Amino acid sequence: MSVNLTLLLVMGVLYAIGIYLLLERSLTRVLLGLMLLANATNLLLLATGGYAGLAPVFHKDIPAAAYNDPLPQAFILTSIVISFAVTAFMLSLVYRSWLLSRADQIQDDREDLRVARQDLFDAEEDSEIAIEVSDFHENNQPAASREMIRQVTLKTAKARGQHPGGGHGPGSRPGTGGGA
Amino acid sequence: MSVASLAPLAVALPMLGAALAFVLIRHPRAQRRVSLAILALTLALEVLVLAVVWTSGPVAVHLGGWAPPFGIVMVADQFSSLLLVVSSAVSLSVLVFASGQGAADGEEGGPVSVFHPTYLILVAGVSNAFLAGDLFNLYVGFEILLTASYVLMTLGGTGSRIRAGITYVVVSVVSSMLFLIAIAMVYGATGTVTLADLAVKLGQLDPGTQHVLHVLLLVAFGIKAAVFPLSFWLPDSYPTAPAPVTAVFAGLLTKVGVYAIIRTETLLFPTDHFNAVLLWVALLTMVVGILGALAQTDIKRLLSFTLVSHIGYMIFGVGLSSVAGLAATIFYVIHHITIQTSLFMVTGLVERRGGTSAILRLGGLAKLSPVLAVLYFIPAMNLAGIPPFSGFLGKLGLLQAGVADGSPLAYTLVVGGVVASLLTLLVMARVWNRVFWRSTADAEDPDPVLLATAPDASGGRSMRALRTSRYVDATEGRFSGEDEIPILPRMMVYSTMGLVALGVALSVFAGPLFELSRHAAEGMLARTPYIEAVLGAGAQTGVAP
């Protein structure tokens, strides 16, 4: 099977530009990138059907090698319809995003940022130790560990103080325990 | 001509239902009834098909009467018809759940009226992917379900959904593009896209070409199935969607990717060439996924990470490419579709009951709403793999298959599987401790809804607890309706109960189910039943065993 070199080159260029645009942060460019990728893929499908200039459909007098395979063209039609629908939908998403945030940019996920910011050491996990009120128990511990408990307690109390409505119940106890 | 020839109706019926639901878009009640009836009918039909295929083996339906390599063919073998039944059962209960939510909140005429038709199209796409007998039809099935999922993902068009939706759409489109490129190359190399025909012809290609095609397909399906290096889109996009949508996505969409990987590995490329790669990928998916879950403080995001992690188990079984491994994978897929969906549905209920899905803002739900606590506890322990449940049986099957394989890599995977399972237990217990077990007063920043609602009284009253503007500051805008809205509508609670019960039933009937899985795995690894069903007996002379 011989392949049309022009088609191949165009396809390669489309893929290259498409991938470049896809990696941009601007949504419109990403969308354009997707469209170029879709078209490049359509060309690839077209290339599998044989080269240009052959008979378009099968007729019983034509030898098998002399007509163009119609199946890839059917694939391309399906693929065009799908990418058309998806492009329209993407466009509406981009527009909606512009309406909501006035920015044609891919937004960061707030929850992602929050998880990335959180401490490796979760004070809340260990706050139970600090609630231990028995002095007797505390004196048994080495001084360094007592100091650590005090630090943690202070930190927890501070963290809880920032939340409205978190100051009642057992949550307020570590603050007094730490000060003692 | 048997009942199994009706299998394509599993695609056609939901499509018809979607059309009817579109016509009834101004009549929400009629729309709900039609969608539910259609899905129930589809489920009944698929059970019939499964019953026939269980004994007779794969059945191929030649659409339009065209001979196999040329026409479009739909194939129901044991694996695909089993998946059809489970996916329809799950999507039916999620539809009941969503209908309960819609009926309770009275969101009629809003964007939610698009939900039912779109949902049915999604179901049709999933069925089409399971039944597809050629690569291009598989692609079309993927596109149907993806396009429907784009709409469902961005339902309502709020800021966070648009943000997540864009990521989701771009990633999905790129993976579909890769799939289409793979189809073009496969067609260029062999001149056919019928799976059974490819099974014969791909083996005759030059090994280099085979590897290129194989890797292309694996990457395309790997993105859809969310295996490790290709999984970052999933926890980013799933949690923002409405609760029923997340539930059905988590249950079905990634499994369609896993299904495609299994077909690729068994039917198209039965060689062991990439098995080591698959095993490594499986290990990384299991461990990295569950480590991600450890860092999360939102139940939906946490569950999305466990979803990624447990995809690793399925890939583990595929990578072993033994009957035992594949059978365990099939069992695990069935188990995981049910359990993951029911966990997300419970999370939807928790969100309604407690006002949020942020773990730090919740507490004391075990006392406030014992029903929810039980509904969470059973599937959570099931997912973690605690002995009497199907999660344990599936993992046990996989670990046994790994030990039977005996290679050092397989043993590494066995250890990794156990570690991931223990970490899942840790994550699930953490949610349990904070959301259900501790007292409400211990919550760091309790949600107003949680503080305002009184504990449910016993029995039926728990589902009648009310959420009104009296309880919540109207400026928040979330629950500022005039009417009293039931917090836990009965339909939502009962549908969740139904799915949790199905999960338990999978444990009770694990014996026959495992038998069926083994049967299906043997057939898929032998390949001849499938190929002969499509191409006719004697057509597979060129197949190397």
Side-chain angles (χ1 to χ4, degrees):
Chain A
M1 189 176 77
S2 57
V3 178
N4 189 329
L5 186 64
T6 321
L7 271 189
L8 270 191
L9 283 177
V10 171
M11 189 184 87
V13 171
L14 284 183
Y15 270 128
I17 303 175
I19 290 169
Y20 176 78
L21 287 175
L22 199 64
L23 299 176
E24 292 274 322
R25 219 174 155 79
S26 154
L27 289 175
T28 323
R29 292 186 184 196
V30 170
L31 179 64
L32 287 173
L34 286 182
M35 290 159 71
L36 290 185
L37 284 187
N39 284 329
T41 311
N42 290 343
L43 287 183
L44 175 64
L45 277 169
L46 189 65
T48 63
Y51 52 95
L54 294 178
V57 285
F58 172 71
H59 187 272
K60 67 176 191 293
D61 300 331
I62 306 176
Y67 69 93
N68 213 325
D69 189 351
L71 193 58
Q73 296 165 18
F75 291 167
I76 294 171
L77 280 180
T78 318
S79 143
I80 287 175
V81 172
I82 291 170
S83 63
F84 173 68
V86 171
T87 305
F89 189 76
M90 259 307 269
L91 210 52
S92 70
L93 280 188
V94 173
Y95 178 63
R96 180 78 186 156
S97 173
W98 166 255
L99 279 186
L100 287 171
S101 61
R102 290 281 147 193
D104 175 38
Q105 296 264 314
I106 291 174
Q107 309 284 313
D108 282 321
D109 186 1
R110 258 181 280 156
E111 185 70 15
D112 265 348
L113 294 175
R114 206 192 54 68
V115 169
R117 267 203 314 270
Q118 77 187 7
D119 285 340
L120 284 175
F121 175 68
D122 190 357
E124 191 259 350
E125 294 277 333
D126 299 332
S127 59
E128 302 304 320
I129 308 169
I131 298 174
E132 189 60 68
V133 283
S134 155
D135 291 354
F136 170 78
H137 187 109
E138 201 166 323
N139 287 339
N140 277 345
Q141 310 212 8
S145 115
R146 250 184 290 154
E147 182 55 26
M148 198 197 78
I149 290 174
R150 214 177 73 84
Q151 292 296 330
V152 170
T153 328
L154 284 177
K155 201 171 160 191
T156 322
K158 226 160 106 190
R160 292 199 175 176
Q162 288 167 356
H163 295 303
H168 54 82
S172 57
R173 260 197 289 158
T176 53
Chain B
M1 195 70 187
S2 69
V3 185
S5 308
L6 295 177
L9 280 182
V11 182
L13 273 179
M15 282 284 187
L16 179 74
L20 285 176
F22 263 124
V23 171
L24 295 171
I25 208 153
R26 300 255 169 263
H27 310 278
R29 296 185 66 168
Q31 195 190 36
R32 275 199 290 273
R33 279 180 196 152
V34 165
S35 329
L36 288 172
I38 289 277
L39 259 190
L41 191 63
T42 314
L43 177 61
L45 179 90
E46 286 164 358
V47 170
L48 273 181
V49 170
L50 175 64
V52 172
V53 170
W54 190 328
T55 48
S56 75
V59 173
V61 184
H62 306 148
L63 298 184
W66 287 87
F70 305 110
I72 294 174
V73 62
M74 282 194 157
V75 189
D77 69 347
Q78 285 147 338
F79 182 38
S80 56
S81 43
L82 187 60
L83 278 179
L84 275 182
V85 170
V86 176
S87 68
S88 285
V90 164
S91 41
L92 180 61
S93 54
V94 173
L95 189 64
V96 175
F97 184 85
S99 302
Q101 190 173 19
D105 296 353
E107 293 168 297
E108 293 172 357
V112 183
S113 54
V114 190
F115 176 81
H116 284 262
T118 319
Y119 188 86
L120 287 172
I121 290 178
L122 179 86
V123 173
V126 172
S127 304
N128 192 25
F130 286 151
L131 285 172
D134 65 85
L135 269 186
F136 199 76
N137 204 9
L138 184 62
Y139 167 76
V140 172
F142 269 122
E143 285 304 320
I144 295 172
L145 73 89
L146 284 177
T147 312
S149 76
Y150 302 155
V151 177
L152 292 175
M153 177 71 84
T154 52
L155 214 59
T158 59
S160 59
R161 281 182 196 164
I162 294 290
R163 186 202 60 74
I166 287 175
T167 317
Y168 177 72
V169 173
V170 171
V171 172
S172 306
V173 169
V174 170
S175 85
S176 299
M177 213 63 79
L178 279 174
F179 187 14
L180 196 59
I181 293 170
I183 291 177
M185 292 195 171
V186 165
Y187 189 75
T190 61
T192 181
V193 286
T194 308
L195 289 176
D197 206 18
L198 282 176
V200 181
K201 287 184 178 157
L202 277 175
Q204 299 158 359
L205 290 177
D206 172 57
T209 319
Q210 277 192 48
H211 293 164
V212 170
L213 300 177
H214 194 170
V215 169
L216 260 177
L217 285 175
L218 279 186
V219 170
F221 297 145
I223 297 178
K224 292 182 204 296
V227 297
F228 163 61
L230 311 167
S231 67
F232 296 112
W233 59 272
L234 191 147
D236 197 39
S237 51
Y238 276 17
T240 51
V245 172
T246 316
V248 78
F249 281 15
L252 297 183
L253 297 201
T254 49
K255 307 308 180 302
V256 183
V258 172
Y259 168 84
I261 289 181
I262 293 177
R263 277 272 181 259
T264 314
E265 283 300 306
T266 56
L267 190 63
L268 298 185
F269 298 98
T271 51
D272 293 345
H273 199 81
F274 287 105
N275 281 357
V277 179
L278 277 179
L279 287 177
W280 277 112
V281 163
L283 180 68
L284 289 171
T285 311
M286 284 193 283
V287 175
V288 174
I290 203 66
L291 288 181
L294 277 174
Q296 304 304 318
T297 54
D298 182 283
I299 309 179
K300 284 170 154 185
R301 283 177 63 93
L302 187 147
L303 286 177
S304 305
F305 274 99
T306 63
L307 167 63
V308 171
S309 168
H310 285 244
I311 295 292
Y313 285 99
M314 300 165 206
I315 306 298
F316 175 21
V318 179
L320 289 174
S321 77
S322 61
V323 171
L326 199 58
T329 295
I330 294 171
F331 183 82
Y332 204 83
V333 170
I334 306 292
H335 145 80
H336 198 255
I337 289 178
T338 323
I339 295 308
Q340 195 72 44
T341 309
S342 46
L343 274 173
F344 270 107
M345 281 160 82
V346 176
T347 309
L349 290 177
V350 166
E351 214 175 1
R352 284 179 78 87
R353 187 68 185 79
T356 175
S357 62
I359 298 174
L360 296 178
R361 307 188 66 189
L362 288 165
L365 274 180
K367 201 168 185 180
L368 286 178
S369 184
V371 184
L372 278 193
V374 173
L375 284 182
Y376 170 80
F377 191 76
I378 296 174
M381 290 302 111
N382 201 336
L383 185 74
I386 295 297
F389 291 120
S390 54
F392 169 74
L393 299 170
K395 289 188 180 83
L396 185 69
L398 284 171
L399 299 186
Q400 279 176 339
V403 171
D405 187 78
S407 66
L409 184 54
Y411 272 109
T412 318
L413 261 289
V414 168
V415 174
V418 172
V419 169
S421 172
L422 288 175
L423 287 176
T424 310
L425 182 61
L426 172 66
V427 167
M428 290 291 128
R430 240 172 149 177
V431 175
W432 170 260
N433 278 342
R434 301 206 181 153
V435 175
F436 294 96
W437 208 237
R438 68 176 173 187
S439 78
T440 314
D442 278 344
E444 279 77 2
D445 182 16
D447 195 273
V449 178
L450 189 69
L451 290 179
T453 48
D456 301 343
S458 59
R461 277 189 60 82
S462 68
M463 298 166 203
R464 285 171 181 251
L466 296 173
R467 183 173 79 177
T468 67
S469 52
R470 191 158 48 93
Y471 291 130
V472 183
D473 186 3
T475 52
E476 278 214 19
R478 272 191 299 173
F479 308 125
S480 54
E482 290 287 310
D483 299 329
E484 293 194 329
I485 300 165
I487 283 194
L488 299 177
R490 292 185 171 199
M491 269 170 97
M492 294 177 79
V493 176
Y494 289 159
S495 58
T496 314
M497 279 179 185
L499 204 58
V500 170
L502 180 63
V504 174
L506 288 186
S507 322
V508 175
F509 298 106
L513 195 60
F514 228 107
E515 194 57 35
L516 178 58
S517 306
R518 185 177 305 276
H519 220 64
E522 275 166 4
M524 285 192 338
L525 283 177
R527 308 204 299 151
T528 38
Y530 187 101
I531 297 172
E532 283 187 357
V534 178
L535 298 181
Q540 41 78 44
T541 42
V543 188

